Amino acid sequence: VQTLTPAEPLRRAMELTLQTTQADFPVVENGRLVGFLTEKELLIGLHQAGLDQPVGAFMRSDFPVIATGAFLFEAQEQMVRASVRALPVADNGQLLGLLTAQDLNEAYRMLSISPTLALKPA
């Protein structure tokens, strides 16, 4: 998972969007998850302020986070309610990963092929 800091310029988020498949970014400071920059906020920031404005000026500071072990449906509901395509996965403020709508779609597709996958221990 690519992350940003609040002080980094929006230019860095744009570069990562173009270089990777990621378009939404957890924002981390001193090892703690402090924000979330979605593609929508990135585009607004680029339009309103330009490439050199800090991520912290446009990141969401109030954003949903999903815990490990949460149900897929719960994650999907949170994404819909918050109008986001990804959720940071965190435990006590520590970023563990990023769950995307594409990840959810793949999981549902695998479960439709073999529903017993959800019942088997890892």
Side-chain angles (χ1 to χ4, degrees):
V1 174
Q2 299 291 324
T3 63
L4 299 166
T5 66
E8 285 185 278
L10 292 175
R11 173 187 317 275
R12 179 68 181 137
M14 185 184 76
E15 290 168 353
L16 288 172
T17 299
L18 295 173
Q19 295 170 358
T20 69
T21 59
Q22 194 173 326
D24 304 286
F25 301 93
V27 181
V28 178
E29 188 171 44
N30 299 322
R32 307 284 302 163
L33 179 63
V34 296
F36 193 57
L37 184 72
T38 68
E39 183 178 40
K40 179 180 177 181
E41 279 90 29
L42 172 59
L43 293 173
I44 289 170
L46 291 172
H47 177 72
Q48 291 179 354
L51 293 169
D52 296 321
Q53 290 300 305
V55 165
F58 293 94
M59 71 180 191
R60 289 184 179 196
S61 55
D62 182 23
F63 55 95
V65 175
I66 195 79
T68 58
F71 291 102
L72 292 176
F73 185 72
E74 178 185 345
Q76 185 178 27
E77 282 185 322
Q78 283 192 33
M79 284 182 189
V80 170
R81 276 195 308 270
S83 298
V84 294
R85 298 179 311 179
L87 292 174
V89 180
D91 184 28
N92 291 326
Q94 297 291 329
L95 179 68
L96 302 174
L98 187 68
L99 181 68
T100 67
Q102 183 177 350
D103 295 333
L104 290 176
N105 290 338
E106 288 177 18
Y108 282 130
R109 188 170 50 248
M110 291 298 121
L111 288 172
S112 72
I113 293 168
S114 180
T116 57
L117 286 174
L119 303 175
K120 292 181 181 179

